[in-house]
PDB file of all heavy atoms in Angstrom:
ATOM      1  N   THR A 126       3.913  -2.746  -2.862  1.00  0.00           N
ATOM      2  CA  THR A 126       4.903  -2.913  -3.919  1.00  0.00           C
ATOM      3  C   THR A 126       4.695  -4.242  -4.637  1.00  0.00           C
ATOM      4  O   THR A 126       4.510  -5.281  -4.014  1.00  0.00           O
ATOM      5  CB  THR A 126       6.344  -2.812  -3.373  1.00  0.00           C
ATOM      6  OG1 THR A 126       7.277  -2.944  -4.448  1.00  0.00           O
ATOM      7  CG2 THR A 126       6.638  -3.882  -2.351  1.00  0.00           C
ATOM      8  N   SER A 127       4.690  -4.168  -5.952  1.00  0.00           N
ATOM      9  CA  SER A 127       4.523  -5.354  -6.781  1.00  0.00           C
ATOM     10  C   SER A 127       5.883  -5.857  -7.234  1.00  0.00           C
ATOM     11  O   SER A 127       6.917  -5.314  -6.872  1.00  0.00           O
ATOM     12  CB  SER A 127       3.631  -5.026  -7.981  1.00  0.00           C
ATOM     13  OG  SER A 127       4.150  -3.918  -8.681  1.00  0.00           O
ATOM     14  N   VAL A 128       5.867  -6.906  -8.034  1.00  0.00           N
ATOM     15  CA  VAL A 128       7.098  -7.501  -8.549  1.00  0.00           C
ATOM     16  C   VAL A 128       6.951  -7.613 -10.052  1.00  0.00           C
ATOM     17  O   VAL A 128       5.957  -8.145 -10.549  1.00  0.00           O
ATOM     18  CB  VAL A 128       7.343  -8.891  -7.922  1.00  0.00           C
ATOM     19  CG1 VAL A 128       8.601  -9.514  -8.502  1.00  0.00           C
ATOM     20  CG2 VAL A 128       7.455  -8.789  -6.413  1.00  0.00           C
ATOM     21  N   TYR A 129       7.911  -7.121 -10.796  1.00  0.00           N
ATOM     22  CA  TYR A 129       7.851  -7.200 -12.251  1.00  0.00           C
ATOM     23  C   TYR A 129       8.449  -8.521 -12.728  1.00  0.00           C
ATOM     24  O   TYR A 129       9.500  -8.940 -12.273  1.00  0.00           O
ATOM     25  CB  TYR A 129       8.610  -6.043 -12.887  1.00  0.00           C
ATOM     26  CG  TYR A 129       8.655  -6.126 -14.392  1.00  0.00           C
ATOM     27  CD1 TYR A 129       7.525  -5.832 -15.150  1.00  0.00           C
ATOM     28  CD2 TYR A 129       9.802  -6.531 -15.055  1.00  0.00           C
ATOM     29  CE1 TYR A 129       7.538  -5.929 -16.521  1.00  0.00           C
ATOM     30  CE2 TYR A 129       9.830  -6.624 -16.437  1.00  0.00           C
ATOM     31  CZ  TYR A 129       8.696  -6.323 -17.166  1.00  0.00           C
ATOM     32  OH  TYR A 129       8.716  -6.418 -18.533  1.00  0.00           O
ATOM     33  N   SER A 130       7.747  -9.172 -13.638  1.00  0.00           N
ATOM     34  CA  SER A 130       8.266 -10.408 -14.223  1.00  0.00           C
ATOM     35  C   SER A 130       7.669 -10.598 -15.603  1.00  0.00           C
ATOM     36  O   SER A 130       6.497 -10.316 -15.823  1.00  0.00           O
ATOM     37  CB  SER A 130       7.927 -11.614 -13.347  1.00  0.00           C
ATOM     38  OG  SER A 130       8.339 -12.805 -13.978  1.00  0.00           O
ATOM     39  N   LYS A 131       8.460 -11.098 -16.543  1.00  0.00           N
ATOM     40  CA  LYS A 131       7.952 -11.420 -17.876  1.00  0.00           C
ATOM     41  C   LYS A 131       7.271 -12.790 -17.894  1.00  0.00           C
ATOM     42  O   LYS A 131       6.629 -13.144 -18.876  1.00  0.00           O
ATOM     43  CB  LYS A 131       9.106 -11.397 -18.885  1.00  0.00           C
ATOM     44  CG  LYS A 131       9.693 -10.002 -19.086  1.00  0.00           C
ATOM     45  CD  LYS A 131      10.818 -10.018 -20.110  1.00  0.00           C
ATOM     46  CE  LYS A 131      11.381  -8.620 -20.317  1.00  0.00           C
ATOM     47  NZ  LYS A 131      12.496  -8.608 -21.289  1.00  0.00           N
ATOM     48  N   ARG A 132       7.377 -13.534 -16.827  1.00  0.00           N
ATOM     49  CA  ARG A 132       6.758 -14.852 -16.740  1.00  0.00           C
ATOM     50  C   ARG A 132       5.321 -14.712 -16.273  1.00  0.00           C
ATOM     51  O   ARG A 132       5.052 -14.330 -15.141  1.00  0.00           O
ATOM     52  CB  ARG A 132       7.514 -15.735 -15.753  1.00  0.00           C
ATOM     53  CG  ARG A 132       8.870 -16.225 -16.242  1.00  0.00           C
ATOM     54  CD  ARG A 132       9.521 -17.077 -15.164  1.00  0.00           C
ATOM     55  NE  ARG A 132       8.610 -18.136 -14.700  1.00  0.00           N
ATOM     56  CZ  ARG A 132       8.833 -18.852 -13.599  1.00  0.00           C
ATOM     57  NH1 ARG A 132       9.893 -18.618 -12.861  1.00  0.00           N
ATOM     58  NH2 ARG A 132       7.978 -19.787 -13.250  1.00  0.00           N
ATOM     59  N   VAL A 133       4.375 -15.029 -17.136  1.00  0.00           N
ATOM     60  CA  VAL A 133       2.965 -14.875 -16.769  1.00  0.00           C
ATOM     61  C   VAL A 133       2.536 -15.888 -15.711  1.00  0.00           C
ATOM     62  O   VAL A 133       1.527 -15.716 -15.047  1.00  0.00           O
ATOM     63  CB  VAL A 133       2.048 -15.002 -18.006  1.00  0.00           C
ATOM     64  CG1 VAL A 133       2.319 -13.874 -18.971  1.00  0.00           C
ATOM     65  CG2 VAL A 133       2.232 -16.357 -18.687  1.00  0.00           C
ATOM     66  N   ASP A 134       3.307 -16.952 -15.530  1.00  0.00           N
ATOM     67  CA  ASP A 134       2.954 -17.971 -14.551  1.00  0.00           C
ATOM     68  C   ASP A 134       3.625 -17.737 -13.202  1.00  0.00           C
ATOM     69  O   ASP A 134       3.511 -18.552 -12.296  1.00  0.00           O
ATOM     70  CB  ASP A 134       3.336 -19.355 -15.068  1.00  0.00           C
ATOM     71  CG  ASP A 134       4.850 -19.500 -15.279  1.00  0.00           C
ATOM     72  OD1 ASP A 134       5.513 -18.471 -15.527  1.00  0.00           O
ATOM     73  OD2 ASP A 134       5.342 -20.636 -15.208  1.00  0.00           O
ATOM     74  N   ASN A 135       4.295 -16.627 -13.041  1.00  0.00           N
ATOM     75  CA  ASN A 135       5.047 -16.377 -11.817  1.00  0.00           C
ATOM     76  C   ASN A 135       4.125 -15.793 -10.752  1.00  0.00           C
ATOM     77  O   ASN A 135       3.725 -14.636 -10.825  1.00  0.00           O
ATOM     78  CB  ASN A 135       6.209 -15.417 -12.108  1.00  0.00           C
ATOM     79  CG  ASN A 135       7.132 -15.281 -10.918  1.00  0.00           C
ATOM     80  OD1 ASN A 135       6.839 -15.752  -9.822  1.00  0.00           O
ATOM     81  ND2 ASN A 135       8.255 -14.624 -11.140  1.00  0.00           N
ATOM     82  N   ARG A 136       3.794 -16.562  -9.726  1.00  0.00           N
ATOM     83  CA  ARG A 136       2.860 -16.116  -8.698  1.00  0.00           C
ATOM     84  C   ARG A 136       3.454 -15.026  -7.812  1.00  0.00           C
ATOM     85  O   ARG A 136       2.739 -14.392  -7.040  1.00  0.00           O
ATOM     86  CB  ARG A 136       2.406 -17.311  -7.858  1.00  0.00           C
ATOM     87  CG  ARG A 136       1.677 -18.360  -8.675  1.00  0.00           C
ATOM     88  CD  ARG A 136       1.298 -19.552  -7.838  1.00  0.00           C
ATOM     89  NE  ARG A 136       0.118 -19.268  -7.024  1.00  0.00           N
ATOM     90  CZ  ARG A 136      -0.021 -19.672  -5.774  1.00  0.00           C
ATOM     91  NH1 ARG A 136       0.941 -20.347  -5.180  1.00  0.00           N
ATOM     92  NH2 ARG A 136      -1.124 -19.412  -5.112  1.00  0.00           N
ATOM     93  N   ARG A 137       4.738 -14.802  -7.900  1.00  0.00           N
ATOM     94  CA  ARG A 137       5.361 -13.714  -7.126  1.00  0.00           C
ATOM     95  C   ARG A 137       4.770 -12.364  -7.462  1.00  0.00           C
ATOM     96  O   ARG A 137       4.844 -11.439  -6.671  1.00  0.00           O
ATOM     97  CB  ARG A 137       6.864 -13.647  -7.413  1.00  0.00           C
ATOM     98  CG  ARG A 137       7.713 -14.634  -6.682  1.00  0.00           C
ATOM     99  CD  ARG A 137       9.179 -14.275  -6.844  1.00  0.00           C
ATOM    100  NE  ARG A 137       9.522 -13.063  -6.143  1.00  0.00           N
ATOM    101  CZ  ARG A 137      10.657 -12.398  -6.315  1.00  0.00           C
ATOM    102  NH1 ARG A 137      11.546 -12.824  -7.195  1.00  0.00           N
ATOM    103  NH2 ARG A 137      10.910 -11.308  -5.627  1.00  0.00           N
ATOM    104  N   THR A 138       4.199 -12.217  -8.655  1.00  0.00           N
ATOM    105  CA  THR A 138       3.739 -10.906  -9.102  1.00  0.00           C
ATOM    106  C   THR A 138       2.363 -10.538  -8.561  1.00  0.00           C
ATOM    107  O   THR A 138       1.933  -9.399  -8.705  1.00  0.00           O
ATOM    108  CB  THR A 138       3.683 -10.848 -10.639  1.00  0.00           C
ATOM    109  OG1 THR A 138       2.687 -11.779 -11.107  1.00  0.00           O
ATOM    110  CG2 THR A 138       5.021 -11.211 -11.249  1.00  0.00           C
ATOM    111  N   GLU A 139       1.651 -11.461  -7.943  1.00  0.00           N
ATOM    112  CA  GLU A 139       0.252 -11.201  -7.599  1.00  0.00           C
ATOM    113  C   GLU A 139       0.127 -10.205  -6.452  1.00  0.00           C
ATOM    114  O   GLU A 139       0.702 -10.378  -5.369  1.00  0.00           O
ATOM    115  CB  GLU A 139      -0.464 -12.504  -7.220  1.00  0.00           C
ATOM    116  CG  GLU A 139      -1.939 -12.288  -6.929  1.00  0.00           C
ATOM    117  CD  GLU A 139      -2.754 -13.564  -6.921  1.00  0.00           C
ATOM    118  OE1 GLU A 139      -2.241 -14.600  -7.385  1.00  0.00           O
ATOM    119  OE2 GLU A 139      -3.897 -13.515  -6.450  1.00  0.00           O
ATOM    120  N   LEU A 140      -0.652  -9.146  -6.664  1.00  0.00           N
ATOM    121  CA  LEU A 140      -0.990  -8.174  -5.633  1.00  0.00           C
ATOM    122  C   LEU A 140      -2.388  -7.661  -5.975  1.00  0.00           C
ATOM    123  O   LEU A 140      -2.554  -6.619  -6.609  1.00  0.00           O
ATOM    124  CB  LEU A 140       0.023  -7.034  -5.584  1.00  0.00           C
ATOM    125  CG  LEU A 140      -0.075  -6.071  -4.397  1.00  0.00           C
ATOM    126  CD1 LEU A 140       0.060  -6.811  -3.069  1.00  0.00           C
ATOM    127  CD2 LEU A 140       0.984  -4.986  -4.489  1.00  0.00           C
ATOM    128  N   ASN A 141      -3.394  -8.435  -5.581  1.00  0.00           N
ATOM    129  CA  ASN A 141      -4.771  -8.205  -6.002  1.00  0.00           C
ATOM    130  C   ASN A 141      -5.715  -8.108  -4.806  1.00  0.00           C
ATOM    131  O   ASN A 141      -5.432  -8.629  -3.730  1.00  0.00           O
ATOM    132  CB  ASN A 141      -5.251  -9.334  -6.912  1.00  0.00           C
ATOM    133  CG  ASN A 141      -4.446  -9.428  -8.200  1.00  0.00           C
ATOM    134  OD1 ASN A 141      -3.984  -8.422  -8.728  1.00  0.00           O
ATOM    135  ND2 ASN A 141      -4.261 -10.647  -8.696  1.00  0.00           N
ATOM    136  N   ASP A 142      -6.842  -7.424  -5.039  1.00  0.00           N
ATOM    137  CA  ASP A 142      -7.895  -7.316  -4.024  1.00  0.00           C
ATOM    138  C   ASP A 142      -7.357  -6.710  -2.727  1.00  0.00           C
ATOM    139  O   ASP A 142      -7.467  -7.290  -1.638  1.00  0.00           O
ATOM    140  CB  ASP A 142      -8.525  -8.688  -3.761  1.00  0.00           C
ATOM    141  CG  ASP A 142      -9.114  -9.304  -5.017  1.00  0.00           C
ATOM    142  OD1 ASP A 142      -9.916  -8.628  -5.676  1.00  0.00           O
ATOM    143  OD2 ASP A 142      -8.742 -10.434  -5.365  1.00  0.00           O
ATOM    144  N   ILE A 143      -6.778  -5.531  -2.879  1.00  0.00           N
ATOM    145  CA  ILE A 143      -6.222  -4.792  -1.745  1.00  0.00           C
ATOM    146  C   ILE A 143      -7.117  -3.587  -1.476  1.00  0.00           C
ATOM    147  O   ILE A 143      -7.405  -2.802  -2.390  1.00  0.00           O
ATOM    148  CB  ILE A 143      -4.790  -4.306  -2.042  1.00  0.00           C
ATOM    149  CG1 ILE A 143      -3.900  -5.443  -2.570  1.00  0.00           C
ATOM    150  CG2 ILE A 143      -4.187  -3.629  -0.816  1.00  0.00           C
ATOM    151  CD1 ILE A 143      -3.661  -6.561  -1.614  1.00  0.00           C
ATOM    152  N   THR A 144      -7.551  -3.394  -0.226  1.00  0.00           N
ATOM    153  CA  THR A 144      -8.349  -2.233   0.150  1.00  0.00           C
ATOM    154  C   THR A 144      -7.635  -1.457   1.247  1.00  0.00           C
ATOM    155  O   THR A 144      -7.278  -2.025   2.292  1.00  0.00           O
ATOM    156  CB  THR A 144      -9.747  -2.649   0.635  1.00  0.00           C
ATOM    157  OG1 THR A 144     -10.442  -3.287  -0.443  1.00  0.00           O
ATOM    158  CG2 THR A 144     -10.542  -1.439   1.089  1.00  0.00           C
ATOM    159  N   ILE A 145      -7.434  -0.169   0.995  1.00  0.00           N
ATOM    160  CA  ILE A 145      -6.801   0.733   1.954  1.00  0.00           C
ATOM    161  C   ILE A 145      -7.803   1.831   2.246  1.00  0.00           C
ATOM    162  O   ILE A 145      -8.097   2.655   1.375  1.00  0.00           O
ATOM    163  CB  ILE A 145      -5.484   1.291   1.384  1.00  0.00           C
ATOM    164  CG1 ILE A 145      -4.508   0.135   1.132  1.00  0.00           C
ATOM    165  CG2 ILE A 145      -4.872   2.311   2.329  1.00  0.00           C
ATOM    166  CD1 ILE A 145      -3.244   0.537   0.418  1.00  0.00           C
ATOM    167  N   SER A 146      -8.360   1.844   3.469  1.00  0.00           N
ATOM    168  CA  SER A 146      -9.482   2.743   3.736  1.00  0.00           C
ATOM    169  C   SER A 146      -9.403   3.387   5.118  1.00  0.00           C
ATOM    170  O   SER A 146      -8.943   2.777   6.084  1.00  0.00           O
ATOM    171  CB  SER A 146     -10.810   1.979   3.607  1.00  0.00           C
ATOM    172  OG  SER A 146     -10.935   1.006   4.619  1.00  0.00           O
ATOM    173  N   ASN A 147      -9.858   4.633   5.167  1.00  0.00           N
ATOM    174  CA  ASN A 147     -10.021   5.367   6.430  1.00  0.00           C
ATOM    175  C   ASN A 147      -8.728   5.476   7.234  1.00  0.00           C
ATOM    176  O   ASN A 147      -8.749   5.460   8.470  1.00  0.00           O
ATOM    177  CB  ASN A 147     -11.111   4.716   7.289  1.00  0.00           C
ATOM    178  CG  ASN A 147     -12.498   4.919   6.713  1.00  0.00           C
ATOM    179  OD1 ASN A 147     -13.004   6.037   6.658  1.00  0.00           O
ATOM    180  ND2 ASN A 147     -13.093   3.835   6.238  1.00  0.00           N
ATOM    181  N   ASN A 148      -7.594   5.580   6.537  1.00  0.00           N
ATOM    182  CA  ASN A 148      -6.317   5.765   7.219  1.00  0.00           C
ATOM    183  C   ASN A 148      -5.927   7.240   7.215  1.00  0.00           C
ATOM    184  O   ASN A 148      -6.247   7.975   6.280  1.00  0.00           O
ATOM    185  CB  ASN A 148      -5.224   4.953   6.526  1.00  0.00           C
ATOM    186  CG  ASN A 148      -5.530   3.478   6.517  1.00  0.00           C
ATOM    187  OD1 ASN A 148      -5.366   2.794   7.517  1.00  0.00           O
ATOM    188  ND2 ASN A 148      -5.989   2.973   5.378  1.00  0.00           N
ATOM    189  N   LYS A 149      -5.210   7.661   8.239  1.00  0.00           N
ATOM    190  CA  LYS A 149      -4.619   8.999   8.279  1.00  0.00           C
ATOM    191  C   LYS A 149      -3.131   8.826   8.046  1.00  0.00           C
ATOM    192  O   LYS A 149      -2.430   8.204   8.849  1.00  0.00           O
ATOM    193  CB  LYS A 149      -4.884   9.679   9.608  1.00  0.00           C
ATOM    194  CG  LYS A 149      -4.449  11.139   9.632  1.00  0.00           C
ATOM    195  CD  LYS A 149      -4.908  11.842  10.899  1.00  0.00           C
ATOM    196  CE  LYS A 149      -4.515  13.323  10.855  1.00  0.00           C
ATOM    197  NZ  LYS A 149      -4.970  14.025  12.096  1.00  0.00           N
ATOM    198  N   VAL A 150      -2.645   9.359   6.915  1.00  0.00           N
ATOM    199  CA  VAL A 150      -1.239   9.165   6.522  1.00  0.00           C
ATOM    200  C   VAL A 150      -0.654  10.537   6.161  1.00  0.00           C
ATOM    201  O   VAL A 150      -0.384  10.829   5.001  1.00  0.00           O
ATOM    202  CB  VAL A 150      -1.103   8.161   5.362  1.00  0.00           C
ATOM    203  CG1 VAL A 150      -1.169   6.750   5.866  1.00  0.00           C
ATOM    204  CG2 VAL A 150      -2.194   8.361   4.306  1.00  0.00           C
ATOM    205  N   LYS A 151      -0.457  11.357   7.172  1.00  0.00           N
ATOM    206  CA  LYS A 151       0.053  12.711   6.969  1.00  0.00           C
ATOM    207  C   LYS A 151       1.404  12.856   7.660  1.00  0.00           C
ATOM    208  O   LYS A 151       1.741  12.128   8.583  1.00  0.00           O
ATOM    209  CB  LYS A 151      -0.932  13.740   7.516  1.00  0.00           C
ATOM    210  CG  LYS A 151      -2.319  13.657   6.877  1.00  0.00           C
ATOM    211  CD  LYS A 151      -3.166  14.864   7.209  1.00  0.00           C
ATOM    212  CE  LYS A 151      -2.709  16.077   6.412  1.00  0.00           C
ATOM    213  NZ  LYS A 151      -3.630  17.230   6.608  1.00  0.00           N
TER     214      LYS A 151
END
Side-chain angles (χ1 to χ4, degrees):
T126 182
S127 54
V128 178
Y129 176 74
S130 175
K131 293 181 179 179
R132 287 179 52 193
V133 296
D134 63 333
N135 188 351
R136 298 177 78 220
R137 280 191 69 193
T138 65
E139 183 164 347
L140 190 58
N141 298 327
D142 302 307
I143 310 296
T144 297
I145 298 173
S146 67
N147 290 293
N148 300 283
K149 188 172 183 180
V150 279
K151 301 193 75 173

